[in-house]
Amino acid sequence: MWQTGSGTQRNMNINEVLSNRRIQLLGRDLGTQRPVGPNDDVNMGQSSNDTFPTAMHISALLELDNHLIPLPPAVAESIEHKAAEWMDVVKFGRTHLEDAVPLTVGQEWSGWAGQLRNALKAVDFSREGLLELAVGGTAVGTGLTHRRTRFRGLCCPPPKRGVVRSVCLSIAS
């Protein structure tokens, strides 16, 4: 995909398609922008400088919550189980100097589980920044470009994991 600038053309094209599809479903004439207009009703007067980052944040949160975050704890638990099972199995580990240092397979595996859990903490930490959504202000925060400037779903404390859907629904209301 190639895009320059904030993506205004793509954003408005999508809004026009959605507007026309709704008009079509209502049995009205395409292109009339009535009763659903692309800017006021679909885009709600938002700047593509806001909608694109917001869409990316919501998409990333959904991917994290539905696919990435649920998996590592079970994998780490499984690795920890094997680490405990192999705590008495001695092996040689190599240092950067190629020294042969004894350690157990269990020690090695418990380190992997620790790395996985630490990585998940880092993902959780970075996830918090994705909860900040850049929509709701319109026209650099002045509200000038839209007759309805209420975005109730964005004026509440940041949602916790699994609540992204309710924020999206609030935006649409």
Side-chain angles (χ1 to χ4, degrees), residues 121-137:
K121 286 179 190 174
V123 168
D124 264 339
F125 180 77
S126 65
R127 184 187 174 282
E128 292 300 311
L130 294 172
L131 293 172
E132 296 176 13
L133 303 180
V135 297

Side-chain angles (χ1 to χ4, degrees), residues 92-101:
F92 291 107
R94 296 284 181 185
T95 70
H96 63 287
L97 297 175
E98 291 298 320
D99 298 329
V101 178

Side-chain angles (χ1 to χ4, degrees), residues 31-75:
T32 61
Q33 298 188 8
R34 288 191 179 77
V36 181
N39 189 49
D40 288 345
D41 300 309
V42 177
N43 195 53
M44 299 180 80
Q46 291 298 294
S47 166
S48 55
N49 289 320
D50 299 342
T51 57
F52 269 68
T54 296
M56 289 186 284
H57 280 214
I58 291 171
S59 297
L61 281 166
L62 290 171
E63 288 300 309
L64 287 173
D65 290 351
N66 295 330
H67 299 288
L68 178 63
I69 291 174
L71 298 176
V75 173

